[in-house]
Amino acid sequence: MTTARTDPGSVLACGEVRTCLLPTRDPLDEATAVRLLRLRTDERVRVSRHPSRQVVSPEVLTGVDCPLPADTGTRVRAVGTVRNRAVLVEGRVLLSSAFFSLAAAGTDRRQPWGHYLVRPGLLVPVGRLPEQTVARGLLLGHRPGQLDIGSIAESLMARISRQHRVLDHDPPLTTVDTRLRWAATRTAPGDPPSVLFTKDGDGLRVVELRLPPDTAPADAAGLCEDLALHDWLLSIVADKLDGLRSGDRSGPGVLGPLVEHLLHLWMPRARVDRVLHPVWEQLDETPGYCRQWKTLTQRIRDQLTLLSLRSHQEVPAPGRQGTIL
């Protein structure tokens, strides 16, 4: 985890995470994954091998100068850069994460670009920032002409997915992509972190966070990447099991790829700042993510055991050879 803390004037962090199954038949090995995520030549790709293999691209910056979404329709212009990175988990699941923090106030006039480039990942409003209005607006989504953080994340995901020399675009599972849009504001000193997690249609998840005042934006983004990964895993496995009847002969074709490619990826909080673990504890309590995952994985094992027993029962016993007279 990064040790850099939030800018002293930063009151808000926001972002969006896109999650998908990497479009290739087999998981990528570490060397190939590093080559895939080498987005810049001046910074190295980071590799973490424990407790699972995770490859993280260098960050790329996108300059923006546009109005921010605001739920009241207030026009709030901001200038600066958005941070964007890709994460590949066990060579199998790809996440594209775009995020930024917002300063509480800026100058009354737009400054030269150099003023903003020395503060990577910070958007500075022109004038005062109506914090709650912008936070709600970012969670609701942008209107034409406003900052579209999701398109920045989607652009990086598309850039990586187009690398045909590495990817064969023949995935072992048919899956849907998900979008996790998040905004984090500060808690009062001493209050624990909190989360409000809702699911909308079309694969959209909306996460409203309250985090300690000194939480680094990169740590908040890391938490949301962890939430996005595990929500995607839970959604895909639940959808595949929906309507699958006990002993269904199509079971092995559905269950086998889940076991081979996804079940071992469930490791919530493995790379989340310990201060932010209470967020996962709340999700474990309500709606019970880990309990649901345990139930689903046990159901898969039971289904495979049942299918195996039935296949043995259906094998005819060797018959006696008749005597030719």
Side-chain angles (χ1 to χ4, degrees):
M1 291 295 175
T2 179
T3 58
R5 291 297 161 186
T6 231
D7 183 280
S10 174
V11 296
L12 188 67
C14 309
E16 190 160 320
V17 186
R18 301 293 177 100
T19 310
C20 73
L21 187 72
L22 192 70
T24 188
R25 169 59 55 176
D26 299 310
L28 298 189
D29 59 69
E30 183 178 308
T32 306
V34 168
R35 190 165 73 251
L36 180 72
L37 297 192
R38 188 174 288 123
L39 305 180
R40 296 170 52 177
T41 58
D42 60 332
E43 287 193 28
R44 66 183 182 87
V45 176
R46 293 186 289 116
V47 178
S48 173
R49 299 183 178 91
H50 306 288
S52 61
R53 195 175 303 272
Q54 180 170 287
V55 179
V56 182
S57 76
E59 289 185 353
V60 293
L61 299 178
T62 301
V64 298
D65 180 354
C66 59
L68 298 172
D71 68 335
T72 60
T74 304
R75 184 176 175 84
V76 183
R77 180 185 177 188
V79 188
T81 55
V82 174
R83 300 162 71 175
N84 199 185
R85 64 190 179 197
V87 181
L88 186 60
V89 180
E90 287 289 354
R92 186 71 281 177
V93 180
L94 177 66
L95 299 95
S96 176
S97 177
F99 61 98
F100 59 90
S101 57
L102 273 166
T107 59
D108 292 335
R109 296 182 180 180
R110 187 194 187 283
Q111 301 298 306
W113 267 114
H115 175 79
Y116 306 104
L117 293 177
V118 297
R119 300 170 177 84
L122 180 69
L123 298 190
V124 181
V126 179
R128 294 290 302 177
L129 175 73
E131 178 181 343
Q132 295 301 325
T133 292
V134 170
R136 290 191 295 267
L138 286 162
L139 292 175
L140 289 172
H142 74 288
R143 296 177 182 177
Q146 297 177 337
L147 174 63
D148 182 2
I149 188 69
S151 69
I152 297 175
E154 179 63 28
S155 177
L156 179 58
M157 178 167 282
R159 171 184 169 185
I160 294 170
S161 299
R162 286 195 298 265
Q163 297 194 30
H164 296 281
R165 294 183 180 180
V166 177
L167 307 174
D168 58 26
H169 291 270
D170 183 27
L173 285 164
T174 301
T175 62
V176 297
D177 301 349
T178 57
R179 300 172 290 147
L180 187 143
R181 185 184 300 152
W182 62 275
T185 54
R186 294 178 173 184
T187 62
D191 286 353
S194 64
V195 60
L196 178 62
F197 193 115
T198 59
K199 293 188 179 183
D200 292 337
D202 300 323
L204 175 64
R205 286 79 170 105
V206 178
V207 177
E208 186 174 355
L209 294 163
R210 298 274 293 171
L211 302 180
D214 64 343
T215 303
D219 287 346
L223 167 65
C224 292
E225 290 159 8
D226 195 59
L227 294 176
L229 168 65
H230 291 88
D231 172 79
W232 182 87
L233 287 169
L234 190 61
S235 299
I236 296 302
V237 172
D239 288 348
K240 291 297 183 183
L241 291 179
D242 184 32
L244 186 66
R245 293 177 297 177
S246 178
D248 192 327
R249 291 184 180 274
S250 65
V254 175
L255 303 177
L258 295 179
V259 174
E260 182 178 358
H261 296 280
L262 300 185
L263 293 196
H264 61 291
L265 303 184
W266 186 266
M267 294 186 185
R269 298 183 295 184
R271 293 181 173 87
V272 173
D273 190 315
R274 292 184 64 86
V275 175
L276 305 182
H277 281 194
V279 169
W280 258 110
E281 292 167 5
Q282 291 176 45
L283 291 175
D284 279 346
E285 182 176 349
T286 305
Y289 268 27
C290 287
R291 292 197 304 273
Q292 185 180 3
W293 180 261
K294 184 177 180 180
T295 299
L296 291 173
T297 54
Q298 186 59 54
R299 183 181 170 193
I300 290 173
R301 294 188 182 96
D302 292 344
Q303 286 272 9
L304 289 173
T305 300
L306 182 60
L307 287 166
S308 177
L309 289 172
R310 289 188 176 182
S311 66
H312 285 299
Q313 291 171 353
E314 291 173 2
V315 175
R320 292 185 178 180
Q321 295 292 327
T323 303
I324 300 177
L325 299 176

